[in-house]
Amino acid sequence: MLTGLIFATEEAEHQPGVLAATLPFGGMTLIEYQARLLVAAGAGQLLVAVGRVTPALAAAVNRIGRRGATVDIVRSAEEAKAKVHPLATIVALADGLVTTDAVVEGMALEPTDTLLVTPTGDATSVERVDAEHCWAGVATLSIDRLDDAARLPREYDFQSTLLRVATQARAAHVLLPGKAVRSGHGVERDAGTLEVRSKDVLASLAEQRTGWIDRYVFTPVSRLLLPLLVRRKVPDVAIGAAGGVLGVAGLAAVPFWSAGAATVLLFLAMVVLSAGSLLGWLRGEDGHAAMQERGVEVFGVAGVLGIGLVQSLIVQTGTAGVLALVGVAATILARRSPAISPALGRDAGDDIGPARTVRAGGNIDDRAGVGRAPRGRHTCARHRKFAARGLA
């Protein structure tokens, strides 16, 4: 059983009384986005570690609970241990962490007592764990670490205490993939900087699609549309309805108007539905997202076949219809074929081998980095000194 642990104790910068976990992020709050990542990784239970419960935090926790996850608020390691199943594996996310689904899902596949680390202390890290590495905000832990933290005074910071006992238990270290840094991974408590990171995450979300039409057509347009839709808080249902209307109008234009008008309307419909599906996934509306993805496929296939059939009837030959049928069949086969990925352990732009799991004590295992997350070496542009908190 997988249990998610989210820390929500720190205040936002320049906003006294406001928790960083309740800052806006992608049309929701940051803690809701973190919960979404954990649920997508397979977490059946979520624990929210708090120092105090603000109205905004209580409302966010209620919204998370309405999406089907079991959510419990805890104030100490002792309370967390009492709530967790004895055989559970815990995936902990640091306070104010922004990351991607690939990182969280990859860490959920790691053995217990594994820390995601970065070589230097910058915006991607939380606090130092040894002379060479800083914690990057994600940890896969066993319930024994909660037991260790519960033995220590409650006055100690829960997050730092848990990190320290994991380090003392010789937790393995997994290097943060380079692509995760470029996709917006980091710890932020400033609303303005968080908005910038949300755009990076939205862009990386759009780039996860691998089909050629997604990569060269839908993804560039979605990267422009998503921030606008998020900023205006447009419901994904409304986006789906708009895409559906455009798609139906495009299909109706095939026999009554012209192929050009039908193509434009169907293209707009698929772009809108593509952006709406990404927005639905981001907000946890998986059902709506799946329906809009299916709508993209249906309108694409129906449009190509319809235009081919009408053109065949107009010119009294079957060439256009046959070409349309062949094109649809080739597209279906291409989508079902596995994509050719880069060599294991290599990230675009990185000329290095696999990211290595560096275990406490200096032993290094030559195995791939964070689960299915892209591999690569972290190169930071900024450096700043981190002082260890809690049980340094």
Side-chain angles (χ1 to χ4, degrees), residues 1-346:
M1 179 180 178
L2 191 66
T3 297
L5 174 59
I6 304 173
F7 290 94
T9 58
E10 300 291 336
E11 287 191 350
E13 295 180 3
H14 314 300
Q15 298 186 50
V18 177
L19 293 175
T22 61
L23 290 174
F25 183 89
M28 61 184 79
T29 59
L30 178 57
I31 190 173
E32 289 176 83
Y33 175 71
Q34 292 175 323
R36 171 70 181 123
L37 295 179
L38 289 168
V39 171
Q45 179 188 22
L46 298 177
L47 301 179
V48 180
V50 303
R52 59 189 177 88
V53 180
T54 64
L57 179 62
V61 170
N62 288 334
R63 288 192 295 270
I64 295 170
R66 286 199 297 268
R67 289 174 179 158
T70 302
V71 187
D72 294 298
I73 293 178
V74 297
R75 289 175 171 80
S76 65
E78 187 176 3
E79 291 184 19
K81 180 187 173 185
K83 297 285 187 181
V84 176
H85 190 278
L87 300 179
T89 296
I90 302 166
V91 177
L93 301 185
D95 199 334
L97 177 71
V98 177
T99 189
T100 62
D101 58 322
V103 172
V104 176
E105 290 177 6
M107 284 299 293
L109 297 174
E110 290 290 332
T112 55
D113 296 336
T114 301
L115 303 177
L116 183 67
V117 298
T118 182
T120 56
D122 66 349
T124 63
S125 62
V126 182
E127 58 182 284
R128 191 166 292 281
V129 294
D130 59 29
E132 299 178 353
H133 300 97
C134 296
W135 185 40
V138 187
T140 304
L141 305 171
S142 65
I143 194 173
D144 292 337
R145 303 292 78 77
L146 286 179
D147 190 37
D148 294 339
R151 295 193 185 100
L152 298 171
R154 291 172 62 99
E155 292 77 14
Y156 288 160
D157 180 78
F158 185 8
Q159 177 176 289
S160 290
T161 301
L162 194 60
L163 178 61
R164 293 304 162 190
V165 296
T167 302
Q168 292 169 5
R170 302 177 64 81
H173 292 174
V174 174
L175 292 179
L176 177 68
K179 189 173 181 180
V181 180
R182 296 190 290 273
S183 298
H185 182 101
V187 176
E188 291 295 345
R189 298 187 179 93
D190 179 75
T193 310
L194 191 61
E195 183 178 359
V196 175
R197 286 197 180 273
S198 70
K199 293 179 181 179
D200 293 337
V201 172
L202 290 173
S204 69
L205 180 63
E207 291 172 354
Q208 288 182 5
R209 292 166 166 173
T210 57
W212 68 267
I213 192 169
D214 291 312
R215 180 177 300 176
Y216 298 110
V217 180
F218 293 150
T219 293
V221 179
S222 296
R223 291 184 65 174
L224 297 175
L225 285 179
L226 277 176
L228 297 175
L229 296 174
V230 168
R231 190 180 306 117
R232 297 180 180 275
K233 299 182 179 180
V234 180
D236 55 291
V237 176
I239 300 173
V245 170
L246 287 172
V248 171
L251 293 178
V254 173
F256 296 109
W257 295 343
S258 66
T263 301
V264 171
L265 288 173
L266 288 170
F267 174 76
L268 292 176
M270 289 188 288
V271 167
V272 171
L273 290 174
S274 177
S277 68
L278 291 175
L279 191 61
W281 182 94
L282 181 67
R283 293 173 174 172
E285 302 291 345
D286 290 347
H288 296 162
M291 289 179 61
Q292 293 182 72
E293 284 285 349
R294 187 64 62 186
V296 173
E297 298 174 356
V298 169
F299 286 132
V301 171
V304 171
L305 293 179
I307 292 173
L309 176 61
V310 169
Q311 293 301 311
S312 292
L313 294 176
I314 291 175
V315 299
Q316 298 296 313
T317 64
T319 303
V322 171
L323 290 176
L325 187 61
V326 170
V328 169
T331 302
I332 293 175
L333 290 175
R335 289 179 66 88
R336 290 181 177 274
S337 300
I340 299 176
S341 58
L344 180 65
R346 293 188 178 271

